[in-house]
Amino acid sequence: MKRLFDFTVSAAGLLLFGWLILVLVIAIRLSSPGPGLFLQERVGRGQQRFRCCKLRTMAEGTPHVATHHAQAASITRLGRWLRRVKLDELPQLWNVLKGEMSLVGPRPCLPVQAELIAARERRGVFALRPGITGRAQVLGVDMSDPERLARIDAEYAASRSFAGDLRLLVQTFIGAGRGDRVAL
């Protein structure tokens, strides 16, 4: 049921908001050098790697590191706004449609985040598809605390339900969570 819901919502979301993604890609390209879309290798279900699609919020040439290791100055002006309103995640609907991600689940991590990968592996979190949003994000826990994040992800895995996922989606849409912090 979850996969059918993910597929249906992501397809509908891409149909309804494809124009917005295109407008934002153009705005990003006009406001700073570089592409509007950002593809980054992430670790997903079963520790399989996939290319996660997002709107680019950082200056071209910023090193590919976890957000909490990136300098705040790397985020573009438009990127700050996109992150605040969470529109930078919109292209991930494509990853959901393809089955690489879910609407709700643990956030996909980078292959270089060895501590988080090990903590998630110990707790069986990689049995799940990663999500655009999840319990940790709604609680405001980012990837800078890998043990705590993995624990919350495992708690989600143990208690997940369709109703719980709907609740997390609503909480995300009304602005719960603050996203990943960046270095100062």
Side-chain angles (χ1 to χ4, degrees):
M1 185 165 143
K2 181 177 173 94
R3 179 67 191 128
L4 178 61
F5 179 76
D6 284 345
F7 182 85
T8 304
V9 171
S10 62
L14 287 168
L15 286 172
L16 288 171
F17 298 112
W19 66 271
L20 179 58
I21 295 170
L22 181 61
V23 166
L24 292 171
V25 164
I26 293 167
I28 291 165
R29 288 193 47 101
L30 291 174
S31 68
S32 66
L37 286 177
F38 177 70
L39 298 173
Q40 187 177 50
E41 189 173 78
R42 298 290 178 100
V43 180
R45 184 180 193 182
Q47 294 191 46
Q48 294 295 310
R49 294 181 181 194
F50 69 98
R51 293 176 57 108
C52 185
C53 187
K54 296 180 75 169
L55 292 172
R56 182 176 56 84
T57 61
M58 294 194 181
E60 180 72 6
T62 300
H64 288 247
V65 296
T67 300
H68 62 277
H69 289 298
Q71 297 298 313
S74 298
I75 301 174
T76 64
R77 242 177 69 188
L78 180 56
R80 269 190 283 286
W81 178 78
L82 289 170
R83 285 170 172 243
R84 189 171 48 250
V85 297
K86 301 176 184 170
L87 287 176
D88 62 317
E89 312 284 353
L90 208 49
Q92 289 178 27
L93 290 172
W94 177 248
N95 295 109
V96 174
L97 187 70
K98 289 172 46 181
E100 298 165 329
M101 291 181 68
S102 179
L103 294 171
V104 180
R107 285 279 300 279
C109 59
L110 297 168
V112 297
Q113 291 178 287
E115 190 178 347
L116 178 56
I117 290 170
R120 283 179 166 173
E121 188 172 24
R122 281 192 309 275
R123 291 174 175 84
V125 174
F126 287 114
L128 304 176
R129 282 187 181 91
I132 295 175
T133 190
R135 185 166 182 255
Q137 289 69 43
V138 168
L139 294 173
V141 177
D142 70 5
M143 293 187 172
S144 65
D145 191 348
E147 287 296 329
R148 183 173 177 217
L149 178 60
R151 182 178 42 78
I152 291 169
D153 290 341
E155 290 168 0
Y156 164 77
S159 64
R160 70 187 186 277
S161 68
F162 185 69
D165 282 2
L166 289 177
R167 192 170 28 260
L168 289 169
L169 284 170
V170 169
Q171 289 174 313
T172 298
F173 285 123
I174 61 173
R178 65 178 179 279
D180 288 334
R181 293 182 292 262
V182 293
L184 299 176

